[in-house]
Amino acid sequence: MNNEPNQNFSNPKKFDVKIKVGEKPNIKEFKVHSIILSARSDYFKIALSSRWAKREDGFIIFDKPNISPPVFEILINYIYIGNFSNNNDVSLFDIFIAADEIGLIEISQQIKKYLRNKVFGYFNQGKFLKALEFYEEILDNIPLSVEDQKSASSWDLSNKRFEPKEINELLKILCKKTTLTSLNLSNFELGSINVNFTTSNFRRLADTLYKNTTLTSLDLESNNLGSEGKTLADVICKNSTLTSLNLYHNDLGLEGGKLLANSLCKNSTLTSLNIEYNKLGSEGGKILVDVLSKNSTLTSLNLYSNDLGSEGGKLLANSLCKNSTLTSLNIGYNDLGSEGGKALADALCKNFTLTSLDLRRNYLGSEVGKALADALCKNSTLTSLKLEWNRLGAEGGKELADALYKNSALTSLNLSGNNIGSEGGKALADALCKNSTLQEFDHSYNKLGSEGGKALADALCKNSTLTSLNLGYNSLQSKGGKALADALCKNSTLISLDIKGNEISSEGGKLLADALCKNSTLKDLNLNSNWIGSEGGKAIADALCKNSTLTSLDLDSNILGSEGGNPLANALCKNSTLTSLNIERNGFGSEGGKAFADALCKNSTLTSLKLGSNHLGSEGGKALADALCKNSTLKDLNLNSNWIGSEGGKALADALCKNSALKDLDLSNNFLGPEVGKALANALCKNSTLTSLNIVFNDLGSKGEKALADALCKDFFSNWIRSEGGKALADMLRRNSTLASLILESN
């Protein structure tokens, strides 16, 4: 936003409109031109028309008592000379309201952007009371988008380090009745003793949570709360507003598990609890799962990776037979084994509330596959089941296939990594021909081979409910690719298809390209690591010129080369639906970089482009920099490992001064050097849209560590930046109010 003094609009000769603005005693008359006002504002176009305008002595007379003269002068300046400047004497909220009334959308958007950035700046500086006051003022005066309203009520302070004074501000806010309903404090070091406090930050936070009456969601992931189990349990017992609590990776252990279990027997508001990776063990697990027989409010429980073992699995199964409120349960990676797995399968025959169950990585075996299949024939409520990496084998696959003939509730099934093989694959394919409820199916890493792939492709010609299918890493080869291509010409329901790592080769790539010219429903296609080569790339490019439904395409690691890359770049000039494209590791070279840069100057739909590891070099980097000065839609650009060097890096830094759309930029491993560090720092002082920047492995030099550490509020990142570029970046971080993620390791 320009803060220069207001400029007078042109000398009002031959004016035909007199506008009286304000109320007594502060009324000012503006002499303006109807032709200019009508051209720049639809509001004035209507208001000054012959049908509505009042005339006296040949002049159109117009009154605007609800807008003050200083505000109106700013708007008239903008209408006449196109610059919006405010000397801070006039309220931005008053300007917004007036601009919104007379249809000056550009000013309204600029003010929203400025206010948003100002709030982010307060957060980065730990000025939480200021941020809250500003948010409340914004909410009272300006109609915000859903995204803005969410950011006002949901604060993400993860990975931050603040001083005692700043933490005190945050705690004061939590004692007030505010609009804040969700708080993310993950990796905040709440469990460690601060040298400035006699107690841990978490105990001080707990004291405020007893008083808080607005917070419904709290994220405490990775805070080393192990020793604070009692304090945590007290919070859960006394707080009456929290409905969602994330305790992922906090080393609660057996004692913490016991205390948590006891508190859940008393709590009556918590509906979602995540206690992944907390080393509860079988004993802690037993105590905790026993709570499910008593608790009547919890609907979602995540116990992933807690060493529950088979005994814990059995007890959990017993609880599920009694519990009537839990709808989502994650007990993946708990070494349940066949005994625990069978017990849970039996529980599914009796439980009628669970809709989502995650059992991945539990060494269940084929026998449990059979037991689960039997359960699915009886259960009518489970809609999502995850069984990946459970050694189900061909027999388990066949049993589950039989269950799919009878089950009419399951909509999502994940069988990834179960060594099901071609025979099991064929059985499941047959089941898909008759099943009419399954919508998402993950069948990756199952050694299906071309025969299993062909069977599933045939099923797609008959199935009319499946919308998402993952067949990644199944050795489908060109035969499987051909069969899938044929299926895509006939299937009209599939939206997402993942066939990465299947060696479908150039022939399969060409056939799939032909299918894309005929298919009108597929939106997401993953062809990563399929060796389709330049010929397959050309065919895909031709298809993109005709296809009008695909929005996401992954062609990473396909040996496209410049021969396949250039046509693909040309296709982007014609395609108007693709929003996400991954073409990393394809050897495009600098010429390919230039081709994609040209495409970005013409394409207006792509929002995400990944060009990493393509040997783009300095010339490719410079070309892409030029494109960023013109493109206004790209939000995510990945240029990692491209040997861009200092010249290309400087050009990209300059582009960031002009680009106002990009949010995420990855420049890691590009030999940028310290001068580019300075250039990037300068750019970030001017850029107000970038929120994430990755510049790891760029040899930024050997000075500036202290400056950077100070700017990042003590040890925010683990890195060794000691360069002039590092110092410049440190200075930038003190001023920048939008960057949320900066990755700098190994410099």
Side-chain angles (χ1 to χ4, degrees), residues 559-572:
I559 327 174
L560 300 181
S562 58
E563 291 298 309
N566 289 353
L568 201 58
N570 291 333
L572 290 179

Side-chain angles (χ1 to χ4, degrees), residues 276-484:
E276 286 185 74
Y277 289 103
N278 268 295
K279 303 177 182 177
L280 300 180
S282 58
E283 288 304 309
K286 286 176 190 176
I287 296 166
L288 193 59
V289 298
D290 188 49
V291 171
L292 291 179
S293 304
K294 303 166 187 174
N295 180 285
S296 60
T297 53
L298 213 59
T299 59
S300 175
L301 178 61
N302 190 338
L303 285 166
Y304 187 88
S305 188
N306 269 296
D307 304 316
L308 300 183
S310 60
E311 290 305 310
K314 288 178 188 176
L315 285 167
L316 190 55
N318 185 51
S319 294
L320 286 178
C321 294
K322 301 170 186 175
N323 181 282
S324 60
T325 52
L326 203 66
T327 59
S328 175
L329 177 62
N330 184 343
I331 42 173
Y333 204 16
N334 268 297
D335 197 18
L336 301 179
S338 59
E339 293 304 310
K342 285 179 185 175
L344 283 161
D346 290 340
L348 288 179
C349 298
K350 302 168 186 175
N351 179 285
F352 299 105
T353 53
L354 208 63
T355 59
S356 175
L357 178 60
D358 189 336
L359 288 170
R360 65 194 135 143
R361 297 181 182 273
N362 269 302
Y363 310 106
L364 301 181
S366 59
E367 286 301 310
V368 177
K370 183 180 185 309
L372 283 167
D374 291 340
L376 288 177
C377 293
K378 301 169 185 174
N379 182 286
S380 60
T381 52
L382 201 68
T383 59
S384 175
L385 179 60
K386 293 184 177 181
L387 291 170
E388 58 260 48
W389 304 99
N390 267 302
R391 304 176 182 175
L392 300 181
E395 290 307 309
K398 289 177 185 176
E399 295 289 350
L400 286 165
D402 289 339
L404 289 179
Y405 286 111
K406 303 169 186 175
N407 181 282
S408 60
L410 210 62
T411 59
S412 178
L413 177 61
N414 191 330
L415 295 177
S416 176
N418 272 295
N419 197 25
I420 286 172
S422 62
E423 291 306 310
K426 288 177 185 176
L428 283 161
D430 288 342
L432 287 179
C433 294
K434 299 172 183 175
N435 180 283
S436 60
T437 53
L438 203 64
Q439 296 172 16
E440 299 174 3
F441 186 27
D442 190 333
H443 206 350
S444 57
Y445 295 96
N446 268 313
K447 301 181 181 178
L448 299 179
S450 56
E451 292 305 310
K454 284 167 69 177
L456 279 160
D458 290 341
L460 288 178
C461 297
K462 301 170 185 174
N463 180 285
S464 60
T465 53
L466 207 63
T467 58
S468 175
L469 178 61
N470 187 347
L471 295 174
Y473 297 100
N474 268 300
S475 300
L476 302 183
Q477 300 181 329
S478 58
K479 288 183 181 178
K482 180 182 184 303
L484 283 167

Side-chain angles (χ1 to χ4, degrees), residues 183-200:
L183 182 61
N184 185 344
L185 296 176
S186 63
N187 196 25
F188 203 80
E189 291 191 359
L190 289 169
S192 56
I193 300 293
N194 190 303
V195 293
N196 295 288
F197 297 126
T198 55
T199 56
S200 76

Side-chain angles (χ1 to χ4, degrees), residues 124-125 161-163 166 708-716:
N124 288 341
Q125 297 163 36
R161 300 290 179 270
F162 294 111
E163 294 300 321
E166 295 155 353
L708 187 61
D710 288 344
L712 294 171
C713 302
K714 46 173 201 171
D715 304 325
F716 188 82

